[in-house]
Amino acid sequence: MAHPISAFQAAYISIEVLIALVSVPGNILVIWAVKMNQALRDATFCFIVSLAVADVAVGALVIPLAIIINIGPQTEFYTCLMVACPVLILTESSILALLAIAVDRYLRVKIPVRYKSVVTPRRAAVAIACCWIVSFLVGLTPMFGWNNLNKMRRTQELNGSHTEFVITCQFETVISMEYMVYFNFFVWVLPPLLLMLLIYLEVFNLIRKQLNKKVSSSSNDPQKYYGKELKIAKSLALVLFLFALSWLPLHILNCITLFCPSCQTPHILTYIAIFLTHGNSAMNPIVYAFRIKKFRTAFLQIWNQYFCCKTNKNATSTTTAETGN
């Protein structure tokens, strides 16, 4: 029999639904903008689309599953594990998409002349496919055996219970903290974040050197190129910063749980950390809209073509029909 939802759970669900309602349309708009605007078809924006797809999935899939886990239904172990794994897949996909974006920006400023011959659409597609394959392998590792099943069986045997193995579905119940800290965080989250930090520092250093060069009146194009690259690099570095800011608190709490089992972490901090991770999926479209002119132009074009002008046209048509009558 299902437990009634408490006021706290109702507030949690309301916030999660609000995040999903912002995240899904916002990231669909990003994908739509790239699809319809030829100026957004280079490799960087293909990687941004991959990131947006992951963010759409967070709003449409992970948040509903997180709400189910929060309610804590009685399920079989592997059913609960299947509910818990998608967030791991999509987190890793986002990290690898951000890493691909960082490498792409580095190549644009390091080898601007040869960039288009090195970063071809085919290679970009292969890189995106590889990112998703690795993400599935990392995120589904608990399904392959690195989980809490044996630990829970031993606990059941010690308690002398021989009933059917049904659990209250919670993330920490099925996902091993050793996996989350040693494998997920220390191998697949922290090193890529540190690598991206170094890459962006080098990108800004290369751009600064180019912009500081003494230029003649006939060499405005390189200055314009690197000036534009600087603006885009700053925007994408902001996306990376927001991602790190959103995800590191939850991973730090996981480290505390593993290394200090006696430490009591306030539940409100855990919920804030979860909201930050989910809310990150809604942040990127806002950054693109305010920081990247090509996206802002594409968003306005979509609004004018499919929403604003359509309403005006309908109103005009109605007025014309009434006048004719």
Side-chain angles (χ1 to χ4, degrees):
M1 187 173 177
H3 296 287
I5 296 175
S6 66
F8 187 85
Q9 283 179 316
Y12 166 81
I13 292 169
S14 300
I15 295 171
E16 289 282 38
V17 169
L18 181 62
I19 292 171
L21 290 175
V22 175
S23 176
V24 173
N27 285 286
I28 287 175
L29 189 61
V30 170
I31 298 166
W32 192 356
V34 174
K35 185 178 184 299
M36 70 171 291
N37 193 328
Q38 199 67 35
L40 296 172
R41 294 291 178 84
D42 66 18
T44 299
F45 296 107
C46 291
F47 296 131
I48 286 175
V49 165
S50 179
L51 181 60
V53 168
D55 287 338
V56 168
V58 168
L61 178 65
V62 169
I63 287 179
L65 293 179
I67 291 171
I68 291 171
I69 286 179
N70 181 259
I71 295 171
Q74 298 292 309
T75 66
E76 292 182 354
F77 185 89
Y78 277 99
T79 302
C80 184
L81 202 57
M82 287 176 66
V83 171
C85 281
V87 68
L88 303 174
I89 297 168
L90 296 171
T91 304
E92 191 56 39
S93 173
S94 298
I95 290 170
L96 294 178
L98 289 168
L99 180 58
I101 290 169
V103 172
D104 178 71
R105 300 325 292 184
Y106 173 76
L107 293 175
R108 286 184 72 95
V109 297
K110 184 69 175 178
I111 52 169
V113 177
R114 294 190 296 120
Y115 170 79
K116 287 188 177 180
S117 63
V118 172
V119 185
T120 62
R122 179 182 174 83
R123 286 175 179 169
V126 169
I128 290 170
C130 289
C131 288
W132 279 98
I133 290 169
V134 171
S135 301
F136 272 93
L137 292 175
V138 172
L140 291 177
T141 297
M143 295 293 294
F144 303 146
W146 197 345
N147 54 52
N148 287 335
L149 180 60
N150 290 333
K151 185 189 295 185
M152 295 194 71
R153 279 181 174 161
R154 284 196 299 270
T155 303
Q156 189 182 36
E157 289 170 2
L158 288 172
N159 293 336
S161 175
H162 301 287
T163 58
E164 186 182 355
F165 196 64
V166 176
I167 62 168
T168 300
C169 186
Q170 298 287 341
F171 188 86
E172 297 86 352
T173 305
V174 293
I175 300 294
S176 165
M177 273 299 132
E178 286 82 3
Y179 160 82
M180 285 301 299
V181 174
Y182 293 126
F183 185 69
N184 189 278
F185 182 47
F186 287 166
V187 176
W188 290 104
V189 174
L190 194 57
L193 287 177
L194 293 174
L195 179 58
M196 283 184 267
L197 175 63
L198 294 175
I199 289 172
Y200 275 110
L201 288 174
E202 181 62 16
V203 166
F204 290 129
N205 184 47
L206 289 170
I207 293 174
R208 180 182 57 81
K209 286 180 179 177
Q210 292 295 331
L211 292 176
N212 286 343
K213 284 182 179 178
K214 292 182 179 179
V215 294
S216 62
S217 58
S218 62
S219 60
N220 289 329
D221 285 344
Q223 291 293 102
K224 186 178 179 181
Y225 175 85
Y226 284 107
K228 190 186 296 182
E229 285 300 314
L230 179 61
K231 289 179 182 177
I232 295 177
K234 282 181 178 178
S235 301
L236 297 173
L238 176 60
V239 170
L240 171 61
F241 172 76
L242 291 173
F243 182 90
L245 194 67
S246 300
W247 279 96
L248 285 177
L250 187 60
H251 283 289
I252 291 169
L253 289 177
N254 288 339
C255 290
I256 293 171
T257 301
L258 179 64
F259 298 128
C260 183
S262 61
C263 297
Q264 295 295 321
T265 305
H267 286 299
I268 190 66
L269 288 182
T270 303
Y271 279 105
I272 290 172
I274 291 170
F275 288 142
L276 281 173
T277 61
H278 295 166
N280 179 251
S281 298
M283 295 175 191
N284 294 342
I286 298 169
V287 173
Y288 303 150
F290 282 97
R291 300 278 307 183
I292 300 178
K293 187 178 179 181
K294 287 181 180 179
F295 267 116
R296 188 163 59 249
T297 303
F299 291 162
L300 289 173
Q301 185 181 347
I302 291 170
W303 172 256
N304 290 330
Q305 186 173 341
Y306 293 96
F307 299 101
C308 180
C309 290
K310 189 174 180 181
T311 306
N312 292 339
K313 283 177 184 177
N314 290 337
T316 305
S317 300
T318 305
T319 307
T320 304
E322 289 174 352
T323 305
N325 290 335

